[in-house]
Amino acid sequence: RYTAKELLNDLNRLPSADIFSIGLMLYEIASIHTMEPANEIDGILGRPLRSLPTEREEWHRLRDGAAPPLVGRPQTMANMVQALLQPNLDRRPTVSQLLVIAEI
């Protein structure tokens, strides 16, 4: 579910894949109350909101960098999550780089 795209195509496990996975978890946590119900009936019945995709194509769009923006969250957090979800593994931040962000 939280697998980086490069792991789907390659057996080499790099720390940047873990960074991507952390980004998806943070994205899910940060967006859980800001997303729309999966459909009108779910909204009326108060069922849980759909946070991450359930379909394969939607997952591939997330892995390609097409995550909807985080609404109602601090811009620093939105920027950090966007960086963690960077499709280009060489452009994702390292743990050391993340730790220098004051808000973390």
Side-chain angles (χ1 to χ4, degrees):
R1 182 173 175 167
Y2 299 104
T3 305
K5 188 173 185 176
E6 63 268 17
L7 291 180
L8 299 176
N9 303 320
D10 193 325
L11 295 177
N12 291 329
R13 182 148 183 90
L14 300 172
S16 59
D18 294 332
I19 294 293
F20 182 87
S21 297
I22 291 168
L24 273 179
M25 287 185 272
L26 290 174
Y27 180 83
E28 183 174 35
I29 292 165
S31 64
I32 194 115
H33 295 293
T34 61
M35 294 218 167
E36 297 296 320
N39 57 55
E40 186 176 345
I41 299 298
D42 286 348
I44 293 169
L45 297 177
R47 291 183 185 151
L49 303 181
R50 179 174 57 159
S51 55
L52 287 181
T54 56
E55 303 296 323
R56 184 179 185 149
E57 284 297 317
E58 293 172 351
W59 273 106
H60 286 304
R61 282 195 292 274
L62 264 182
R63 289 182 180 111
D64 288 334
L70 289 173
V71 178
R73 299 294 182 236
Q75 193 60 47
T76 304
M77 173 190 247
N79 292 343
M80 180 191 66
V81 171
Q82 183 179 20
L84 296 172
L85 296 178
Q86 173 59 244
N88 181 338
L89 63 105
D90 294 325
R91 296 182 65 195
R92 287 182 207 140
T94 64
V95 172
S96 298
Q97 291 169 326
L98 290 173
L99 292 176
V100 299
I101 298 173
E103 285 79 5
I104 296 180

